[in-house]
Amino acid sequence: MPASWTSGNQNGVDLHIDPSRRSATDLAAALRAAVRDGRLITGAALPSTRALGADLGIARGTVTAAYSQLAAEGYLVVRHGAPTRVADVQQLPQARLAPATHTSSGPTAGWTFTHNLLPGLPDVSAFPRDAWAASIRRALATAPHDTFGYPDRLGHPALRRALAAYLGRARGVLADPEHVVVGPGFTAMIALWARAVRSYGVTAVTVEDPFLPHLHRAVETAGIDVTGAPVDHDGVQVAAITTRGAVLTPAHQYPLGHTLAPTRRAALARRAAAHDMQILEDDYDGEFRFDRRPVGALQALAPDHITYGGTASKALAPGLRLAWMVVPQRLLPHIRDHAAAAGMPVPVIDQLALADILDTGAYDKQVRRMRGRYRARRDALVEAVAPLGYDPDGIAAGLHLLLPLGAGGEPAAAAAAKRHRLGIDLLGRHSITLPHPDGLLVGFGAPTDHAYPAALDALVAVLRAL
Ligand SMILES: Cc1ncc(COP(=O)(O)O)c(C=O)c1O
């Protein structure tokens, strides 16, 4: 016999709940169907979890779990101290709703999660579809016929020009279009750089310790010895870099979140010139600094020795697989030699669309829009964890932060995150050779605005469990 929910709302809503099936999943399915059918309309206030639990004769926690699930999917808006409401989903094509669950081959391998606080991911629901579509249309309408022939392996000249102008203006990069190369994501670019410096004669590379494991493996795959250098609050310890090659994240160390101090930047530039070094600067989220103007690229201090690397994955979307490097003159022939093996060039229409979105200012507009949004999300995260005694480390920037945990905290955090269906990352797996204190890497980019409060609730529940 179906049960009805009529409490707290002028229009009684029949949720069609079979009394023998009263799990959070069942309740979520019933509410989802009610929203889809229009029985629950946009803006409608749902009863409190306590009231609905009592109405239906189920535990309050079951209702909370169902609400969280639907908030993560974009059906409900959960706000602290206000009623949960139906989101404006009728306007959205089904394809734009966030998937119900996520699985990952990365840090959360083996667990399915609803709340996505994995670090380094942008909010892909904010991808500027209209601007991108307009850029694609303009590219198709204006490209001469020969655009569709075999393209330059290092990138279309129009995109190389647009990137040179943008990077000079926004990141202080010394960029000649001839030195700009475009490829299918930064992960492919670092593998290409490693092959190129190997043939230039660099056999050993230092990476920051901690760093992203898949990026350091990409360097090793080129037949290069990789060692780690310690990082402190002033960024990487430059004195510990004794190899001719290095991969660094000076603007926002990944994952600790510090910026490289001015004296160390200068020391590194001097050392690079003195030892004919080749350094790759990974500027993965340099546009997103919240407390001040972003520091300029390190590359400008030693452009013959530093390759600047960037990606469209944070400001636009990782699915585009578009990234770029600005390469020193002496490395360019080696880059050209290995470009085909790195999967270059990328499809020309995508390149022309990126050139257009940069040239028309739509890219800057998107960065400004998302900077404000990510800043607000970081503030909300800091505020949510403060009462539990957590004080994030690192500068106010990017799409993630680090919450230091007590000794042995990582296994407990992983177990609690799995229970609360939360995707997060752990500092420990970023170790190259040095041990690191336990820490939780929390991203605030990935969820939709609708889903973010519920994701924060899940994080707070995980931290409470520790
Ligand atoms: C530190 C760092 N570098 C580079 C990248 C890779 O960017 P892409 O998506 O272009 O491969 C990421 C992505 O998360 C990152 O966190």
Side-chain angles (χ1 to χ4, degrees):
M1 189 186 65
S4 295
W5 157 56
T6 54
S7 83
N9 194 304
Q10 66 278 33
N11 302 318
V13 174
D14 187 349
L15 284 179
H16 306 307
I17 297 219
D18 178 344
S20 66
R21 301 192 46 179
R22 294 184 163 206
S23 67
T25 310
D26 297 328
L27 179 57
L31 285 164
R32 197 184 290 112
V35 175
R36 279 196 175 140
D37 299 350
R39 283 175 288 137
L40 275 174
I41 59 165
T42 298
L46 271 77
S48 69
T49 50
R50 189 191 305 277
L52 186 55
D55 265 11
L56 297 177
I58 57 179
R60 182 184 181 188
T62 307
V63 182
T64 306
Y67 280 13
S68 298
Q69 169 71 33
L70 292 175
E73 292 175 27
Y75 284 90
L76 300 182
V77 182
V78 178
R79 285 217 183 83
H80 292 287
T84 296
R85 291 185 185 276
V86 177
D88 189 8
V89 293
Q90 317 298 345
Q91 306 287 334
L92 299 175
Q94 282 304 306
R96 291 201 192 181
L97 293 177
T101 55
H102 316 262
T103 49
S104 163
S105 54
T108 53
W111 95 68
T112 306
F113 54 94
T114 307
H115 309 289
N116 191 355
L117 294 184
L118 286 173
L121 301 177
D123 179 351
V124 287
S125 76
F127 179 69
R129 291 175 186 245
D130 294 342
W132 189 256
S135 291
I136 294 265
R137 258 196 316 277
R138 268 194 298 271
L140 281 170
T142 57
H145 294 318
D146 66 5
T147 305
F148 303 101
Y150 282 100
D152 187 324
R153 214 175 265 171
L154 300 191
H156 192 284
L159 177 54
R160 296 167 79 187
R161 272 196 306 275
L163 279 167
Y166 171 75
L167 295 173
R169 172 165 56 76
R171 302 294 300 121
V173 178
L174 290 180
D176 175 335
E178 291 291 312
H179 292 201
V180 176
V181 303
V182 180
F186 183 78
T187 310
M189 297 276 82
I190 191 174
L192 169 60
W193 174 86
R195 284 200 183 103
V197 296
R198 181 74 190 77
S199 62
Y200 180 78
V202 171
T203 54
V205 162
T206 301
V207 299
E208 294 159 334
D209 195 347
F211 191 46
L212 268 177
H214 74 273
L215 293 185
H216 111 243
R217 275 197 301 274
V219 178
E220 272 177 343
T221 318
I224 287 176
D225 287 334
V226 178
T227 44
V231 177
D232 57 34
H233 279 77
D234 285 333
V236 68
Q237 292 178 10
V238 172
I241 302 174
T242 55
T243 53
R244 261 185 77 208
V247 175
L248 306 172
T249 50
H252 189 214
Q253 203 279 326
Y254 195 89
L256 298 183
H258 306 301
T259 194
L260 189 62
T263 49
R264 289 192 184 175
R265 286 164 63 96
L268 192 61
R270 279 196 303 275
R271 179 179 290 238
H275 298 280
D276 187 20
M277 286 179 72
Q278 283 301 325
I279 296 171
L280 176 58
E281 173 177 19
D282 176 3
D283 193 38
Y284 62 103
D285 66 4
E287 292 119 330
F288 296 114
R289 177 95 194 226
F290 309 131
D291 53 344
R292 44 163 286 178
R293 277 177 64 81
V295 280
L298 184 68
Q299 181 262 6
L301 301 185
D304 289 335
H305 303 281
I306 302 177
T307 294
Y308 172 90
T311 175
S313 290
K314 317 292 169 171
L316 293 178
L320 293 181
R321 302 321 295 142
L322 283 168
W324 44 84
M325 294 195 291
V326 181
V327 179
Q329 177 67 42
R330 60 190 71 184
L331 211 54
L332 263 179
H334 302 277
I335 291 280
R336 197 171 274 285
D337 284 349
H338 294 280
M344 293 159 68
V346 295
V348 72
I349 295 299
D350 290 346
Q351 293 193 50
L352 291 178
L354 181 60
D356 185 86
I357 214 166
L358 285 163
D359 286 341
T360 56
Y363 189 91
D364 297 67
K365 197 169 152 200
Q366 175 73 359
V367 167
R368 278 198 303 276
R369 180 164 87 103
M370 296 315 290
R371 194 186 286 137
R373 233 193 248 194
Y374 292 141
R375 177 193 188 132
R377 290 191 187 188
R378 187 181 188 278
D379 290 348
L381 171 47
V382 171
E383 201 175 302
V385 301
L388 301 173
Y390 288 92
D391 187 12
D393 223 2
I395 58 170
L399 306 180
H400 79 282
L401 51 72
L402 169 66
L403 298 178
L405 298 176
E410 288 192 6
K418 195 169 177 180
R419 270 198 316 280
H420 288 277
R421 300 172 69 84
L422 174 68
I424 35 104
D425 204 351
L426 304 169
L427 179 58
R429 74 177 197 96
H430 295 73
S431 177
I432 308 299
T433 47
L434 302 169
H436 294 284
D438 285 29
L440 208 53
L441 293 169
V442 185
F444 43 84
T448 59
D449 281 347
H450 288 139
Y452 191 56
L456 280 190
D457 285 348
L459 173 66
V460 167
V462 166
L463 296 176
R464 280 222 171 90
L466 300 183

